[in-house]
Every structure is written in C-alpha cells, then in structure tokens.
Amino acid sequence: MKFPSLLLGLHLAEAATLGSRTAHKPKTSQGSWTRQSLIGQGPRQEHSVTSIGSDIYLVGGVAYDSLSVPETLNRVEYYNTEDKSWHVAAPLPVPLNHGNTATVDGKIYLLGSLSGAMDWVAMNSSYVYQPFNDTITPMPNGTARGSSAMGVRDSKIYVAGGMTILQAYEGGHQDSVSMVSSYDTLTDSWDIDYPPLPEPRQHVGGAVISSTFYVIGGRENGIHQYHNTTYALDLDNPVEWKELSPMPTARGSLACAAVGKKIYCFGGEGDRSNPQQIFHETEVYDTTTDSWETLLPMEVPRHGTGATAVGNKVYIPGGGVTSAFYPVGIMDAFVVDGEA
Ligand SMILES: *[C@@H]1O[C@H](CO)[C@@H](O)[C@H](O)[C@H]1NC(C)=O
Ligand SMILES: *[C@@H]1O[C@H](CO)[C@@H](O)[C@H](O)[C@H]1NC(C)=O
Ligand SMILES: *[C@@H]1O[C@H](CO)[C@@H](O)[C@H](O)[C@H]1NC(C)=O
Ligand SMILES: *[C@@H]1O[C@H](CO)[C@@H](O)[C@H](O)[C@H]1NC(C)=O
C-alpha cells in the first residue's frame, strides 16, 4: 500500500522546470498559457473533466487521505469560468476514478469507471448528473471499463478502448481493451456493435469532430507502453478504423480537447527523459489537413487529468506531477489564438 516516498520530496518549482527535451520546436504563434486559480477542494488526479456551458466539472478521481495514502473520491466540483469561482456539487453515489464522462444537452453522463482500494477494477455503473444521483442503463455485460477515449455526436456518446483493472501499486497489473461502444442519451440504450480499435488503448485521448471519432495516443498494459497512433472512425459508416498521421510525441495519460476543427493534446506519463517521467508537450492535430504541430509546452507538466474547452480556452485542472501519484491543485488554461 506504500507509494514511493521520493514523491513527497518533489517541489512544484522542480516540476515546473521539467522538460529539457526539444525534439520538436514549439510554435509560439498559436496559443499561450494562463494560470488559473487552484482547485477549490484541493489536489486531485485520475478524475474526469468535462464542461456544462462555461462551467468546468471535476468528477471523482484520487487524492491523498490524511495519512498520505491515495484515496478514491466521490467529490464533484465545478469552476465557473465567468466569475472564476469554485463550487461543490452533489457527490457521486460511489467513489470512482478514471471515469468516462461526456456532456450532452447540458447533462453530464458517466459511462463506466474504475473503483476500489488499491486494486482499481472496472465498474459498469453509469450515471447522469442532474446531479449524479440518477442511475442509467449500466454498460452491457463484459464491456465495463474506465480510462477510455470519449466522443460526442448529437445525442450519442462514443466510448473506445479503456481498461478493466489497474492495481495501483509497485509491480501491479493493468490491462487494456480495444472494444468500442456507444450510449444513446435519448433512448438510454447501448450499442456494442462497432469494429474494435486496431490495438487496445487506455489512458487515451478522444474527440468527435464533424462525423469522425478520433482516438489519440494512449497506452497498453503499462506506463511505458505508450503509442503515437491517431485512429479515426467515420461515424456515418462505422465499418473500419483508419490510421492517420501519428502524433509527434508518443504518450499515454494525456489530456485532449477539441477546439474548432483541431484537437489539442497535453502532457502525459512515462517520459524516460526526466526523473518525474512526465511529458510536457502540447501538440495539436488539424483534422482538415491530417497534420500535427508542436505548440508551447505545459508550464507545469502533468498527467492523469483531462482537458475541456470553453470558447478558445482549454482548461486543465489538477493531475499528477510525477509518474503514479502526486496530485496537485494547479489549474491552467491554454488560450488558442484565432478561434472564437
Ligand atoms: C436527484 O437530486 C435532485 C436534486 O437534489 C432531485 O430533484 C431528484 O429527485 C433526485 N433524483 C433521484 C432519483 O433521487
Ligand atoms: C456475462 O458474461 C460472462 C462471460 O463473459 C458470463 O459468464 C456471465 O454469465 C454473463 N452474465 C450475465 C449476467 O449475463
Ligand atoms: C454490473 O456489475 C454488477 C456488479 O459487479 C453486476 O452485479 C451486474 O450483473 C453487472 N451488470 C451487467 C449488465 O453486466
Ligand atoms: C510512431 O511510432 C512508431 C512505432 O513506435 C514509430 O515507428 C514511428 O517512427 C513513430 N512516428 C513518429 C512520427 O514519431
């Protein structure tokens, strides 16, 4: 149950200076970073991030308890980006981490997650936030998972890949799956009849733009088994996944969000080039040209968080600043130039 004590010795200042690797020269013309206020209820990681209008929601996750042991949370809170205030929302019915969330028509859906003490196993429980006390149809038998790529098109939420177990201790086992499903928010029903991902992925980025579901990077059965793949499924004719241009920096536990026709991806876990093993890269995929660009890196590199856009700002609340656990309360935003 012990986590490495070296993590406690890390100062944020050190974390902020990570990332000397400069394989790809960042482009400074397309965006900038702004630091936002600290998370109201304190540090967390492995939570899910989504937004309702201009409010950024943080759902579940993991924080240290009073004995500095990682504890799974049922806490839900949101940040009002207009008046810059934090608010406590109704808690989840159960504590969970690595939740699969998406917002449709002003409601947050949680479609599977992981939960448990240190063996985090998949839960099929699914909820809709109004607040999160309303249970919806669980994930069909055999499809329960957390840490999946998520995308929304009209009334449907798409879920690709994920994992069913993560033993959160040194040498612990984790798996990855390639299954793909969708949940229809209008009929409260699941469809599991989609082609699987070309390879299993968890801790993976995802977004739908126009009629295409993109699944970016992610890893297989361990922190260092990460990939640079960009997979795409045409939702009008979902018969096969295509492999598009790979991202410049392969990584898992990254945070991705769509703004306009582009998908912005931040951070990640498992970078062997620094002691904290955290990726600092910001890279953007342009769906109109099938090409990637490298932008200004994260000022405080993190993993185990999510990203969500309000207007031209992509918010990234909390996350871990070392591999495995070291949750922080920092929230920053990447301001995308030239988007409304
Ligand atoms: C959930 O909570 C809301 C607001 O507190 C309440 O109106 C609603 O009836 C509750 N739903 C259930 C199923 O308990
Ligand atoms: C779920 O699927 C497993 C096999 O994957 C089967 O053994 C089990 O009976 C099924 N349970 C239900 C409730 O259908
Ligand atoms: C969902 O999980 C619960 C608890 O593990 C189990 O009792 C139930 O049969 C599962 N439902 C489906 C549809 O697999
Ligand atoms: C992507 O990863 C593959 C397999 O590891 C590697 O062969 C390829 O060079 C990588 N592409 C880029 C653009 O880094």
Side-chain angles (χ1 to χ4, degrees):
M1 295 288 165
K2 279 255 170 78
F3 56 93
S5 56
L6 71 90
L7 301 188
L8 291 173
L10 178 85
H11 297 293
L12 285 178
E14 292 176 47
T17 61
L18 295 180
S20 49
R21 184 166 28 81
T22 51
H24 308 277
K25 202 171 180 308
K27 202 163 165 173
T28 55
S29 61
Q30 284 187 25
S32 56
W33 286 98
T34 66
R35 192 68 60 84
Q36 309 287 314
S37 73
L38 292 173
I39 297 175
Q41 284 178 289
R44 64 167 105 183
Q45 67 178 82
E46 315 309 337
H47 50 291
S48 23
V49 179
T50 188
S51 47
I52 301 179
S54 55
D55 294 335
I56 309 294
Y57 277 79
L58 281 60
V59 178
V62 179
Y64 284 136
D65 69 10
S66 55
L67 299 173
S68 291
V69 173
E71 173 190 42
T72 295
L73 307 173
N74 65 354
R75 297 197 314 235
V76 179
E77 65 185 307
Y78 66 93
Y79 178 71
N80 180 323
T81 59
E82 278 164 11
D83 68 11
K84 305 193 187 308
S85 57
W86 284 96
H87 304 267
V88 174
L92 290 155
V94 293
L96 55 85
N97 57 58
H98 294 85
N100 299 325
T101 56
T103 300
V104 175
D105 201 17
K107 290 180 186 163
I108 300 174
Y109 292 82
L110 184 130
L111 307 177
S113 62
L114 303 182
S115 195
M118 288 298 268
D119 278 3
W120 296 340
V121 295
M123 298 214 302
N124 59 19
S125 315
S126 302
Y127 302 101
V128 58
Y129 179 85
Q130 36 188 2
F132 270 121
N133 53 357
D134 287 350
T135 303
I136 52 177
T137 303
M139 305 181 93
N141 188 20
T143 70
R145 59 208 198 266
S147 202
S148 307
M150 305 293 288
V152 172
R153 186 192 187 202
D154 303 326
S155 66
K156 280 192 183 159
I157 302 170
Y158 295 86
V159 185
M163 65 199 305
T164 73
I165 180 147
L166 200 178
Q167 293 176 320
Y169 42 84
E170 194 77 27
H173 165 73
Q174 56 182 276
D175 70 349
S176 55
V177 301
S178 53
M179 65 181 87
V180 178
S181 21
S182 71
Y183 172 80
D184 189 330
T185 59
L186 296 179
T187 57
D188 185 24
S189 61
W190 287 89
D191 182 351
I192 58 172
D193 191 19
Y194 290 95
L197 292 169
E199 290 178 351
R201 292 285 185 270
Q202 37 106 329
H203 285 85
V204 54
V208 170
I209 293 185
S210 303
S211 58
T212 304
F213 184 20
Y214 297 89
V215 173
I216 294 171
R219 67 196 204 205
E220 291 187 62
N221 303 345
I223 286 174
H224 294 107
Q225 295 173 35
Y226 45 74
H227 295 274
N228 60 15
T229 44
T230 305
Y231 295 136
L233 183 67
D234 176 1
L235 297 175
D236 285 333
N237 186 23
V239 292
E240 59 165 354
W241 287 88
K242 287 201 166 60
E243 202 163 337
L244 303 177
S245 294
M247 65 192 315
T249 308
R251 50 209 156 114
S253 201
L254 67 177
C256 296
V259 180
K261 300 281 185 198
K262 294 180 179 176
I263 304 169
Y264 292 78
C265 293
F266 305 91
E269 182 182 29
D271 184 354
R272 287 198 167 94
S273 77
N274 65 70
Q276 289 74 25
Q277 302 211 359
I278 303 299
F279 287 98
H280 63 128
E281 277 81 2
T282 301
E283 292 168 347
V284 60
Y285 179 70
D286 187 337
T287 61
T288 63
T289 55
D290 182 26
S291 63
W292 285 89
E293 274 185 315
T294 301
L295 306 181
L296 287 177
M298 298 186 85
E299 291 176 348
V300 181
R302 303 191 304 283
H303 75 103
T305 178
T308 190
V310 174
N312 68 335
K313 278 198 183 120
V314 184
Y315 290 83
I316 306 163
V321 292
T322 71
S323 186
F325 297 112
Y326 198 119
V328 294
I330 288 172
M331 178 167 71
D332 47 19
F334 188 79
V335 185
V336 175
D337 287 347
E339 294 282 345

